[in-house]
Each structure stands twice: as structure tokens, then as C-alpha cells.
Amino acid sequence: IDHRTSEISLKELIVRRGQPFKFTLKLAKPFKLALDELIMTIMTVNKNSTQPHYRKKLNFKCVAIPPDFLSLSAFCVILFNVFMISTGDMVFMPDEVERKEYVMNEQGIIYKGVDNYIAPIHWDYGQFEQDMVSICVKILDCSIKHKQDPAKDVSARCNAIYVSRVITSMVGGILYVLCGILKGNWGNDFRGGVSPTHWSSSYPILKNWFNACFCSVKYGQCWVFSGVMCSVMRLLGIPCRVITNYQSAHDTNKNLIIETYFADYGVREKENYHVWVEGWMRRPDLAKDGRYDGWQVLDPTPQEKSDGMFCCGPAPVSAVRNGDTHLKYDVPFVFAEVNADCITWLVKRDGSQVKIHSEDHRIGQSISTKAIGTSKRMDITNSYKQKEEITAEVLFMNPVNELLRNCSLTLSGSGLINGELPDLPPKNRVRVMVGMIPYRSGERTLLVDFDCASFRDIKKSSTVIIRP
């Protein structure tokens, strides 16, 4: 039975949970069914304890006559199972093409730049490179959760929600974790390490961390943190992809308002982007009907504490889109990253402040990820944000001194609206309010055509600018 783990190792026993597997046992002498018996005992044991709670090491003890005839010990790794629906795994993904992209693909693209000049960079995830199993298991073992209560931590590793949360805390762990994988640096001094732009692969970072007695690798920024986390998630069998949010906000006081201050003699700060990952899993802890299942935001870049740790997520993308900010984990923070209002203040020399600009649509633009099976970019902004309705007001004044009969008004505009309005009753003055949801961005033209029994084809147009 194919567990699709041959890419990871052909020497170690690595299986996906909930799926049967076979192994061959070679004995020192022929097995006689009438005289011999074979007993297999399986235990989960902590390497540093005699208590049977650590779900990492399997001891196969085979006893014949005499009882000490044969014994062996085998190390077994059990991964999440994204492939088989019959296993009922919480990370199961029904589409085979998506499974290949988000679990098995070792190469990807991460997007940087600005929303009007998006710059793709290639990234090597390398989740099946040598020693990646040992590295990823060690990441879990180094977490603060494991140090506080090893038995509880290992028992909870069957839950992808828990595991993904631990990984976010470890990739960018600071303060409370002495062995976080990466140390962030957003300055210009990279002494003692390398610039974040140096990296283009996760494996050298993870290997350096593992070989250096679990000391943080210097240095990383958001796209590096996310690339590394994606590698770990995919190795463990949790579908994962890297997401870039342009015009990203950091709402420190949780009021969904981003305030920018600059002096009347200064320069406005540059626009920004932020990179996180999404992991695919069910969320039975939030709803039994599956409304919050699917992609979950996980942000390994250390920004804000969550339950006392620097980690973020998993936050359901569907909850972010619908504004369900009361849900865990960290939905309000992610919601603000893509939806906050921007207010710009001018700070004068005397310390007084003047509000000079306010925008409610700037944040959260061109949210991007690599498309499935291709190197093209996929815009998933609509997964995070509701399409906003705009209203067009059309006013027509009867220019003649007679009653206009059989009036009709047709509105059209590529990317704005489809279809016609019903006939308008004959009046001297008509005002029509039309709601529409644009489906393409950019500069668009709204066309209005008024017809009646007395004259036809009274046309007017208006330019509408639709933001992405």
C-alpha cells in the first residue's frame, strides 16, 4: 500500500496515519507453526522516560520458544494523511492535483515587491531532503509546550491545529524560545549572519539550525519565515502554501484602524507587503457544519503574542472574509491585516496633529500565491475580502413639454454590470439608484442609454475607477 513516503526515506519506517502497512520480518531459523508462536508488542515510549506516552518510537518485540529468541526495535514516524478520505484525517484534501502541489511539490514561488509591480522569487522548500524527518521532529521537541509537559504535548500532536500552532511559535520563536529556527532582522546591520535576501531555500536554514545545536539562524524576514514553515508543514503531511498580502497592515491596538504619522518636513513611509502561510485542515473546534474548514492563516513572523506566545493562527480564511472576528485563533489580527482603515496624520512642529487623509479600501491588495501546477500567480483576494457593492445614481430630466411614454433605461459597462433595468414609468423627473458589484478592477466606463416612445438613444457616460 503506497503511503507516498518513498521520497522522504527508503531506510526508515515512515507511514501516514489511518492507513495499513506491511513489513517483512526475517527470522534466524525456520518458523514452525506447531511449535513456535510470534507475539508483537507495540509501545509508545519517551526516549528519556519509562512512561508509555511518547508517540515517536515503536518497539517490536517478537518472542518465540525460548522467549528470548528474537527481539528488535524500530523507529517509526507517523505523518498526517492528506491522501485517503477513508482515514477521516482532518487534513484530507479531496483534489489529487492540489495534494501534489501543496504536499509533494518541493519547489515554489513567493511574491514580493509592491501591488503594482509584483516580483516573484523562486523558493526551494526541500521538504524531502536528507534528515528532514529528524529536523522536523526536533522542532516539535524543542517547543515550549514540550518542555512544559512532554506527555501532554506528544498526545496533542495528532491534532493539526495544535501542531501548526507550535510550528509558528518555533519558526520565529523569540524571548521565550531559546532555540527558535530564525532570528528576525529588519534593519541594515546583518553582522553575525546573512541578509534575509541571501536565502532561496528552506533546507540550508533548517540544516544549519539542526547542526548548530538548535541555535537560531541569522537572519530572516517574513518571506523567509513563511518559506521555512511551509517546508515543515509539507513534510509532516499538512497541505500548505505561501501567501503574500500587499498593502498589509499591522493593527497593534486592535481597533481596525492603521494610523500613519509623518512630520510636515518629513517623507511618508513606503508601502509594504507581508507574507504568511495557509494550512489546510478541518476546524471542528469552531463549527460542526464545516463552515470554517479549509485554508487557515498561519503567520510564523513574530509580531504579536497569542496565548502568551509569539505565534499567529490558525485563523480560518472564511472567518476573515465574513468578519467573524470573535473566533480563534487570532482572527481579529488577520482581519485587520487585510481590512483595516488607514488614517494619515500630519504632525506639525508644535506637536499638533492634522488629519489629512483617510482610506478604507487601501489595505489588503492583490493577495497572491502560486497557482496550482504552474508558475503563474493566483490572486486570492476574494477569498479574504467580500466584493464591495457600489451605487450608481442616474438622474434624467424631461426636456420637452409632453408626457414621455414607454421609457426605458439601460446601463452597461465592461467589468461593472450586466443586464438591463425594467421599463421606467413616464414622469417628468426620474432618479434611479443602481447597486452593482464590479468584477474587474481599473478604470471603467459606465454607459447609460435612455429610450422612450418620443425619442431614442439619449446617451451619457461616466468614468469609474475600481480599486483591486
Side-chain angles (χ1 to χ4, degrees), residues 118-405:
I118 295 174
I121 62 168
H122 289 270
W123 191 269
D124 184 9
Y125 295 116
Q127 67 267 32
F128 302 137
E129 291 291 326
Q130 185 178 5
D131 296 327
M132 277 295 288
V133 171
S134 298
I135 293 171
C136 292
V137 170
K138 191 62 182 179
I139 290 171
L140 300 179
D141 288 349
C142 285
S143 73
I144 190 66
K145 295 286 189 180
H146 185 74
K147 295 180 185 300
Q148 291 174 343
D149 192 335
K152 184 178 180 180
D153 168 70
V154 173
S155 297
R157 292 183 187 178
C158 61
N159 189 328
I161 301 170
Y162 175 85
V163 170
S164 62
R165 195 159 168 79
V166 169
I167 296 171
T168 63
S169 69
M170 278 300 301
V171 171
I174 57 176
L175 299 181
Y176 65 97
V177 176
L178 299 178
C179 48
I181 297 171
L182 275 162
K183 181 177 178 60
N185 188 334
W186 287 266
N188 296 314
D189 184 356
F190 303 111
R191 285 176 293 182
V194 296
S195 166
T197 58
H198 167 81
W199 305 111
S200 58
S201 175
S202 301
Y203 181 66
I205 297 172
L206 292 165
K207 190 69 173 177
N208 287 347
W209 174 81
F210 190 71
N211 291 339
C213 298
F214 324 120
C215 293
S216 298
V217 177
K218 301 175 181 180
Y219 293 100
Q221 290 181 10
C222 61
W223 75 91
V224 185
F225 288 115
S226 297
V228 170
M229 179 165 183
C230 187
S231 301
V232 177
M233 294 276 281
R234 289 185 181 185
L235 182 280
L236 295 177
I238 304 174
C240 190
R241 62 185 184 181
V242 178
I243 308 296
T244 301
N245 175 39
Y246 291 94
Q247 306 292 353
S248 189
H250 184 174
D251 183 16
T252 56
N253 53 11
K254 299 180 176 61
N255 62 357
L256 300 183
I257 296 176
I258 307 302
E259 296 177 302
T260 302
Y261 300 86
F262 62 96
D264 54 3
Y265 48 86
V267 179
R268 184 173 178 174
E269 65 182 72
K270 295 180 180 179
E271 305 294 354
N272 64 87
Y273 67 91
H274 186 52
V275 183
W276 57 69
V277 304
E278 289 177 355
W280 178 276
M281 63 194 73
R282 294 205 311 265
R283 292 301 301 271
D285 57 320
L286 300 181
K288 301 301 182 184
D289 60 3
R291 74 181 77 172
Y292 299 117
D293 295 353
W295 290 116
Q296 314 284 320
V297 174
L298 293 150
D299 192 346
T301 303
Q303 298 185 87
E304 298 288 328
K305 284 188 176 182
S306 175
D307 289 344
M309 301 187 301
F310 278 95
C311 63
C312 179
V317 173
S318 59
V320 175
R321 187 177 191 272
N322 295 325
D324 296 333
T325 55
H326 61 287
L327 298 174
K328 60 181 183 181
Y329 292 93
D330 311 302
V331 175
F333 183 80
V334 179
F335 182 86
E337 287 186 303
V338 298
N339 284 293
D341 295 340
C342 290
I343 299 177
T344 303
W345 297 88
L346 177 67
V347 181
K348 296 187 175 182
R349 292 181 183 274
D350 61 4
S352 62
Q353 300 176 4
V354 178
K355 181 179 176 181
I356 59 175
H357 190 60
S358 178
E359 292 179 281
D360 58 1
H361 300 297
R362 193 183 89 190
I363 297 300
Q365 303 294 326
S366 302
I367 303 176
S368 304
T369 191
K370 176 187 174 298
I372 300 172
T374 177
S375 58
K376 294 182 178 179
R377 183 181 70 91
M378 180 166 61
D379 191 309
I380 59 170
T381 306
N382 291 337
S383 298
Y384 281 83
K385 307 179 71 170
Q386 299 278 3
K387 292 183 177 180
E388 298 187 11
E389 183 176 276
I390 63 175
T391 301
E393 181 183 65
V394 181
L395 179 64
F396 180 77
M397 179 68 70
N398 188 348
V400 297
N401 295 323
E402 64 179 74
L403 186 66
L404 301 180
R405 302 180 183 278

